[in-house]
Amino acid sequence: VGMALAARMLAARFAGAGEGLFDHRIFGIVSDGDLMEGVASEAASLAAHWGLGNLIYFYDDNKVTIDGKTDLAFSEDVQKRFEGYGWQVLPIDGHDHGAIRQALQEGIGERARPTLIMGRTVIGKGNPARQGTRKAHSDPFGPDEVAKTKQTVGWPLSPLFHVPEEVRELFRARAAALRPVYEAWQARLAKLQKEAPELKNLWTRLFAPELPPDLDARFLKAVGSDASVATRVAGGRALQAAAELLPGLAGGSADLAVSVKTTITGAADIAREKFDGRNIHFGVREHGMGSILNGLCLHGGIRPYGSTFLVFTDYMRPSIRLAALMKLPVIYVFTHDSIFVGEDGPTHEPIEHLWALRAIPNLTVIRPADARETAYAWAAALRNTNGPTALVLTRQNLPAIDLVKHPDLSGAARGGYVLADAPGGGENPDLILIGTGSELQLALAAKEALEMQKSRRLKVRVVSMPSTSIFDRQEKAYREKVLPPGCRQRVSIEAGATQGWARYVGLDGLAIGIDRFGASAPYPVLAQKFGFTLEKVVAQIEIWLDAESPCMIKSS
């Protein structure tokens, strides 16, 4: 569905002079199991809603899954279901080549609706013992069963892998017939690029975009200099700057655009027969959204983004994982990033989600602490073309990092950096406080409070760690400069699960977080109840220092 949507969006961009460049169709082979999955329903509903007549499914309707006949758990009328969505549905005998050919031509001829060809088939057809059974689905045939099947259908036993000459000839002829079609398409593209420089430029910006060298500066300007702003708002401003740079940037949210701030200003909405827009409404379909984003990306020409609340990544984790596995540069904008969502309560307050995402290989997770770090986060997302990036943003306003005290935030681009060093340069701090997102300000305030305690005489460093993913990719020398191995007294502060912080604070370190579900209350009340106030954070650190740190410096 994502691939078909991308084709329609690109066709709209090149309408007129570039007509015909994107008139191809997308074919999918689907099974009984595929159509049982909830994500298939979400995507199929959207495909019909958008009128993707360039999409054709061939349904291998053999009524068998691993456990047995599909009627164990699947008795719905698939034809009526897809007709209800708004698809063209064509039931056929899936072993009848003439019927297959005719159905494909009908599907190709239908431009207003996606098509489902329901090919009723027999799984393992020709095998005397296994045809039509679950064993044909799940068990290897082995040499004897392969031989029996060949004998039953009149296939030669040797060679072992036999391709009849008439089949070879059919493929040769098909390749020869398609070559002039391919060459004509290439000639059409070359002629267009020669005669229409503006379309050549658009093609380059869509399929081979180059980012400007002042990317960070552009985003810093875009997010503004508010004294206090939610990072979701700053992220929305950065999105507008990104949209100006990349005409292929397009996306939307799972029915949350107003809350997550991911609407491209001035761009139209994607709708049936209206594919020249950039804002995509996915409805309440996080899993379908995630899969469609992958399809948009795989097609090429579109740089997709999708958004929802952080807690709802539970619904789209399989799609995120596949994006990471396929190294797709999808951008996710996940807002409402902690218990400070507040009155929505524990169902909407993410706890384990940050580390659940950080655990996915090749997924870059960034949780910025203010508008400027959000600018660096968006820049990092655009530069990351070898995997997906998740931007994790706040609902509540956050104070801007004081540029008078901390003038250089560019280290955010490296995932973690020294924001406030210990007095005297801090090559050997006594204590390192690591903060992320909304809790970075707590780390800065705790540093001041601890250093004022004359009885301890602590030299405290504050490290901002917006992205453990990016920090882990830095060279060892840089990582050890930020987190010196000689300083074993380390504390992390993050309003989420603490499980992964031992990697950075050590087994003897202190991870201040929340390892239980949240509660419904205004976020200042939650901060007080769950220990995310300056007084309570400092108290936790003091108790830990007194109990766990025999090498701590104390006055005589």
Side-chain angles (χ1 to χ4, degrees), residues 242-384:
E244 289 181 15
L245 290 171
L246 298 180
L249 187 70
S253 74
D255 196 47
L256 291 167
V258 174
S259 292
V260 296
K261 314 298 183 187
T262 53
T263 299
I264 297 177
T265 304
D269 293 337
I270 294 295
R272 179 186 292 266
E273 300 303 325
K274 295 181 180 178
F275 295 101
D276 57 346
R278 302 172 72 178
N279 293 310
I280 306 174
H281 294 275
F282 293 99
V284 188
R285 300 183 183 93
E286 278 87 357
H287 197 176
M289 175 178 72
S291 291
I292 289 169
L293 295 175
N294 291 349
L296 286 164
C297 203
L298 284 164
H299 182 280
I302 301 296
R303 182 74 185 272
Y305 68 87
S307 186
T308 186
F309 294 170
L310 178 60
V311 75
F312 297 145
T313 56
D314 286 341
Y315 295 120
M316 57 189 300
R317 184 179 176 87
S319 303
I320 297 172
R321 184 176 186 272
L322 284 173
L325 191 153
M326 293 187 283
K327 301 182 179 180
L328 302 180
V330 177
I331 298 172
Y332 307 107
V333 180
F334 298 136
T335 70
H336 296 57
D337 68 337
S338 71
I339 58 167
F340 301 132
V341 168
E343 291 86 345
D344 280 347
T347 57
H348 284 52
E349 293 170 4
I351 300 297
E352 73 280 17
H353 299 76
L354 278 164
W355 281 110
L357 291 176
R358 288 167 179 156
I360 298 176
N362 203 44
L363 171 65
T364 297
V365 181
I366 311 176
R367 185 175 184 241
D370 76 345
R372 293 179 182 87
E373 282 201 351
T374 304
Y376 286 110
W378 255 103
L382 289 194
R383 290 188 180 109
N384 183 17

Side-chain angles (χ1 to χ4, degrees), residues 72-337:
L72 288 170
F74 191 59
S75 53
E76 65 194 45
D77 189 325
V78 174
Q79 179 175 347
K80 288 182 180 178
R81 171 182 153 202
F82 272 76
E83 288 174 343
Y85 289 144
W87 286 56
Q88 171 180 242
V89 182
L90 305 173
I92 64 168
D93 177 350
H95 297 293
D96 183 335
H97 290 198
I100 293 170
R101 185 174 294 107
Q102 181 179 343
L104 286 171
Q105 290 304 317
E106 286 186 48
I108 290 170
E110 172 62 53
R111 301 301 291 174
R113 297 174 294 170
T115 295
L116 176 71
I117 299 172
M118 296 184 62
R120 184 71 177 92
T121 60
V122 177
I123 193 169
K125 186 175 176 64
N127 182 272
R130 301 192 185 189
Q131 73 172 21
T133 72
R134 69 166 193 85
K135 288 189 176 182
H137 187 298
S138 60
D139 296 359
F141 270 38
D144 291 342
E145 293 300 325
V146 169
K148 290 176 183 177
T149 306
K150 287 181 175 182
Q151 289 172 336
T152 302
V153 300
W155 201 253
L157 295 179
S158 64
L160 185 63
F161 191 83
H162 175 57
V163 180
E165 186 56 36
E166 57 266 35
V167 172
R168 292 182 188 274
E169 183 54 39
L170 179 68
F171 275 81
R172 288 192 198 101
R174 186 65 176 149
L178 288 176
R179 179 159 296 282
V181 177
Y182 168 78
E183 291 173 348
W185 188 93
Q186 293 290 344
R188 190 185 318 140
L189 176 61
K191 185 173 184 288
L192 174 70
Q193 293 183 332
K194 182 179 180 180
E195 296 177 354
E198 71 283 1
L199 290 182
K200 179 181 180 181
N201 178 58
L202 176 60
W203 183 279
T204 301
R205 294 183 69 196
L206 289 171
F207 287 94
E210 292 185 4
L211 299 174
D214 63 343
L215 185 64
D216 292 341
R218 293 190 187 210
F219 281 125
L220 287 167
K221 181 180 179 181
V223 300
S225 56
D226 305 49
S228 178
V229 66
T231 52
R232 64 170 170 159
V233 173
R237 295 170 182 172
L239 171 62
Q240 309 312 316
E244 289 181 15
L245 290 171
L246 298 180
L249 187 70
S253 74
D255 196 47
L256 291 167
V258 174
S259 292
V260 296
K261 314 298 183 187
T262 53
T263 299
I264 297 177
T265 304
D269 293 337
I270 294 295
R272 179 186 292 266
E273 300 303 325
K274 295 181 180 178
F275 295 101
D276 57 346
R278 302 172 72 178
N279 293 310
I280 306 174
H281 294 275
F282 293 99
V284 188
R285 300 183 183 93
E286 278 87 357
H287 197 176
M289 175 178 72
S291 291
I292 289 169
L293 295 175
N294 291 349
L296 286 164
C297 203
L298 284 164
H299 182 280
I302 301 296
R303 182 74 185 272
Y305 68 87
S307 186
T308 186
F309 294 170
L310 178 60
V311 75
F312 297 145
T313 56
D314 286 341
Y315 295 120
M316 57 189 300
R317 184 179 176 87
S319 303
I320 297 172
R321 184 176 186 272
L322 284 173
L325 191 153
M326 293 187 283
K327 301 182 179 180
L328 302 180
V330 177
I331 298 172
Y332 307 107
V333 180
F334 298 136
T335 70
H336 296 57
D337 68 337

Side-chain angles (χ1 to χ4, degrees), residues 391-413:
L391 307 178
V392 183
L393 309 176
T394 66
R395 175 194 185 190
Q396 76 278 17
N397 288 348
L398 300 183
I401 297 171
D402 189 339
L403 292 183
V404 175
K405 294 181 179 179
H406 318 292
D408 186 7
L409 308 185
S410 62

